[in-house]
Amino acid sequence: MGLFNETKFRQTLQSAVLKWFAAEEYCFEQETAAPNCAANPPPSPQSGQSYSGLLDIGAVMGRITIGGGTPAAAVAGGSNVGNGTCGTVSAQSGEQVGTYTISFTAPTAFNVIDPKGALVGAGSTGVAFANQIGFTITAGGTAFAAGDSFTVAVPPGTAVANSGNTGNGTVSAVTAKTGIQVGTYSIEFLAATKFNVYDPSGRLLGEGATGTAFNNQIGFTITAGGTAFVLGDGFTIPVAAGPGNVTPLNPSAVDGSAVAMGIVMRPATVPANAPASVVLLERQGVVLADYLIWPAGITNNQQAAATAQLAAAGIIVRPS
């Protein structure tokens, strides 16, 4: 699923989108839009300023509720020509859960793409990059070529073994899945190779087995060690809250922004490297379907689900 994308800049009045609302002080909220969350540049940026894009009236928005954990080591693309290396990756302000891509455009130049497919920034070998994630790429004996790449996975959290565990197996490949919640997930062993997984509220999500990927709200694989697990062994996986910034709806996102929660009511320009204020309709209103801006590539089923999510918040979408 791509970022929010408009085909042109509209001169749309709020009244063309919003047909009724109870009261501005109740229905509208001033929110903080995530940096770099709009794909297109505004029509006329002020002199000396560079914007990532425009959030126009009618854009359907989600909220980033899930935070990222410690980034994993960068993984070189399997078809890389260059044999340089990427150093330790660190979390920076605005880090997102998901997979970043570092894509070379020339032997010493690369772009960094965030998990939603947006350009984070450009970098060079030998120079520290620090925007959402931090790292330095060191050139090797064979130069990189355009198309070479690295990927960096940012998990929602890191598994912690219970202090009294008998088994010494490990948990790897922790990933966020649809419906992930903030809080602590619990893994409790029933036998040497079988375990239950509970969500942060204590609800049973399902049973898993060592050596097999578990995928329900959270994803991971447990690998058995030299000493087998026993009944009562377990792990916890804490999932941190995200920044709460709003961003265009992304039905395939796993950071919370797959849930529609509001509609932009006043145009807002969003810088590439800083948040921006934006006013949303978040409750008790009626809007016209033809003037809503949906993410590029959204399916009919996804749009219907998002419309139902808006309705649950008191925002009714009617045919124009």
Side-chain angles (χ1 to χ4, degrees):
M1 176 60 60
L3 269 178
F4 151 89
N5 187 34
E6 293 182 65
T7 57
K8 62 186 180 66
F9 292 103
R10 313 177 309 166
Q11 298 297 319
T12 303
L13 297 176
Q14 183 186 104
S15 58
V17 179
L18 182 62
K19 302 314 296 180
W20 175 86
F21 63 100
E24 184 167 329
E25 61 271 21
Y26 175 70
C27 302
F28 289 13
E29 294 287 350
Q30 182 165 299
E31 298 279 6
T32 299
N36 200 37
C37 73
N40 289 330
S44 303
Q46 297 177 19
S47 177
Q49 292 183 317
S50 175
Y51 290 111
S52 171
L54 173 74
L55 292 176
D56 206 353
I57 295 171
V60 181
M61 305 292 281
R63 188 185 301 281
I64 300 173
T65 58
I66 303 299
T70 302
V75 178
S79 59
N80 278 6
V81 173
N83 61 355
T85 58
C86 182
T88 300
V89 185
S90 62
Q92 304 289 317
S93 177
E95 178 200 46
Q96 303 175 48
V97 65
T99 300
Y100 287 81
T101 301
I102 303 165
S103 180
F104 274 82
T105 57
T108 62
F110 56 82
N111 288 331
V112 179
I113 310 299
D114 75 11
K116 292 186 175 70
L119 176 66
V120 175
S124 302
T125 56
V127 179
F129 182 91
N131 186 359
Q132 298 190 24
I133 56 174
F135 58 87
T136 300
I137 293 181
T138 302
T142 303
F144 290 109
D148 284 359
S149 66
F150 292 87
T151 54
V152 176
V154 176
T158 302
V160 179
N162 292 352
S163 59
N165 277 4
T166 296
N168 62 354
T170 57
V171 178
S172 63
V174 178
T175 55
K177 300 295 181 180
T178 301
I180 189 171
Q181 304 175 50
V182 173
T184 301
Y185 286 80
S186 299
I187 303 165
E188 296 183 3
F189 272 83
L190 308 171
T193 62
K194 299 291 183 182
F195 55 82
N196 281 337
V197 181
Y198 298 88
D199 74 8
S201 67
R203 183 175 67 90
L204 176 65
L205 292 179
E207 183 179 290
T210 55
T212 302
F214 181 89
N215 291 292
N216 186 356
Q217 296 190 18
I218 195 163
F220 60 86
T221 298
I222 297 181
T223 302
T227 303
F229 291 108
V230 300
L231 175 67
D233 281 359
F235 295 84
T236 55
I237 303 176
V239 175
N245 294 344
V246 296
T247 188
L249 178 73
N250 186 340
S252 63
V254 291
D255 61 2
S257 63
V259 178
M261 48 69 63
I263 298 169
V264 174
M265 286 290 105
R266 293 169 192 154
T269 47
V270 184
N273 299 318
S277 293
V278 61
V279 174
L280 304 187
L281 170 71
E282 295 189 17
R283 59 188 71 85
Q284 294 299 103
V286 176
V287 295
L288 294 183
D290 284 353
Y291 285 93
L292 297 183
I293 302 170
W294 297 97
I298 190 170
T299 67
N300 290 338
N301 286 342
Q302 290 169 337
Q303 189 168 321
T307 299
Q309 291 158 359
L310 291 172
I315 301 172
I316 306 302
V317 178
R318 287 185 177 165
S320 301

